[in-house]
Amino acid sequence: MAMLDLTDIHTYYGNIHALKGISITVNKGEIVTLIGANGAGKTTTLRTITGLLKPRVGTVKLDGEDIARHKANDIVYKGIAMVPEGRGIFARLTVTENLDMGAYSRNSKTEYDSDIQRIFSLFPRLKERRNQIAGTLSGGEQQMLATGRALMAHPTLLLMDEPSMGLAPVLVELIFETIQQINKEGVTVLLVEQNALMALSIANRGYVLQSGAIVLQDSAEALKKDPTVQKAYLGME
């Protein structure tokens, strides 16, 4: 049984039919990526999984339980956390206070202390800046903070929406190395990313979305070799 199983999902923004019957599975321990152009439905998919949007049709099953009609905060308690597009940090709070916000669903002081140390080990720069106001961090540091905040919820499934957006190439490489490290530590990852080559280089499998529908799905290696993917998303002729 898949950890996450979306079946025939139709999601709307008012009268706009954003997702048109998509079906996606993510198995425990995988990194799965969704690639596609702007407006293809990638972020809408993540928002549907997290309960920020409710599908009119279809099921979103987590470990066999349909969570499609659950409230977003209840879904966090079930083990799903998201790093949103644009980072979405609390700019006026300190680094530590932002991490605290990620841990609101936790109630064990011992586990909290352990997780804070884990985040600071994963992102040493955050430890150096733990008392700094988050809005004054660089873009790369803010992405680290957004990721750390999501991990403080102790998710089994981490959703990441455009983690490389606006970052310098050296920081993009660091973020993708970190995603791999998080995955090796036991967190399953569903990654939305416009940098298709980087995403496919670390993913096990991928789905290509176009106008709210899945047009291709395969192993990451196979998608990298697909002529359509190469031309449309990898900049190859």
Side-chain angles (χ1 to χ4, degrees):
M1 180 176 64
M3 171 184 274
L4 180 70
D5 190 358
L6 278 65
T7 304
D8 192 28
I9 292 292
H10 293 259
T11 300
Y12 289 73
Y13 290 99
N15 292 323
I16 299 173
H17 196 176
L19 297 181
K20 302 169 184 175
I22 70 167
S23 296
I24 290 171
T25 61
V26 180
N27 298 313
K28 185 176 180 180
E30 283 190 311
I31 299 176
V32 174
T33 187
L34 306 180
I35 60 176
N38 285 335
K42 305 185 301 295
T43 295
T44 302
T45 300
L46 298 190
R47 289 177 177 170
T48 301
I49 294 167
T50 56
L52 297 174
L53 294 171
K54 305 298 181 188
R56 291 190 191 176
V57 177
T59 58
V60 178
K61 291 186 178 180
L62 180 67
D63 294 326
E65 178 188 2
D66 188 3
I67 60 172
R69 272 73 192 172
H70 285 39
K71 294 179 180 178
N73 59 306
D74 291 335
I75 290 173
V76 174
Y77 282 94
K78 290 184 179 297
I80 297 179
M82 182 163 76
V83 182
E85 180 181 359
R87 295 142 201 164
I89 61 164
F90 299 98
R92 296 185 180 182
L93 300 183
T94 66
V95 166
T96 300
E97 287 168 340
N98 268 269
L99 295 175
D100 288 346
M101 293 297 289
Y104 81 92
S105 62
R106 315 286 301 284
N107 54 24
S108 168
K109 181 68 166 61
T110 303
E111 288 183 0
Y112 168 86
D113 291 341
S114 174
D115 284 344
I116 279 282
Q117 293 310 311
R118 175 190 175 214
I119 300 306
F120 286 157
S121 175
L122 199 59
F123 301 113
R125 204 169 301 180
L126 293 184
K127 184 175 183 179
E128 296 170 6
R129 289 159 171 71
R130 57 192 167 195
N131 296 318
Q132 187 169 327
I133 298 300
T136 66
L137 298 175
S138 70
E141 290 164 349
Q142 289 186 14
Q143 186 62 53
M144 295 173 195
L145 180 57
T147 304
R149 181 185 60 191
L151 291 174
M152 285 299 294
H154 216 282
T156 54
L157 175 61
L158 181 66
L159 312 181
M160 304 194 75
D161 195 355
E162 304 287 6
S164 75
M165 182 180 289
L167 300 185
V170 64
L171 291 175
V172 172
E173 289 188 15
L174 175 61
I175 289 297
F176 276 86
E177 287 172 3
T178 303
I179 294 170
Q180 289 178 290
Q181 181 60 38
I182 291 167
N183 179 248
K184 287 176 182 176
E185 292 177 0
V187 180
T188 303
V189 179
L190 179 58
L191 170 66
V192 161
E193 179 56 57
Q194 282 219 316
N195 189 333
L197 185 59
M198 288 292 288
L200 292 171
S201 71
I202 68 168
N204 301 104
R205 296 185 297 110
Y207 293 85
V208 180
L209 271 69
Q210 184 177 309
S211 301
I214 293 169
V215 294
L216 282 172
Q217 56 180 299
D218 212 325
S219 69
E221 281 300 315
L223 288 175
K224 280 196 291 186
K225 297 173 184 175
D226 185 280
T228 302
V229 173
Q230 289 182 342
K231 184 175 181 179
Y233 305 109
L234 303 184
M236 303 178 187
E237 293 297 336

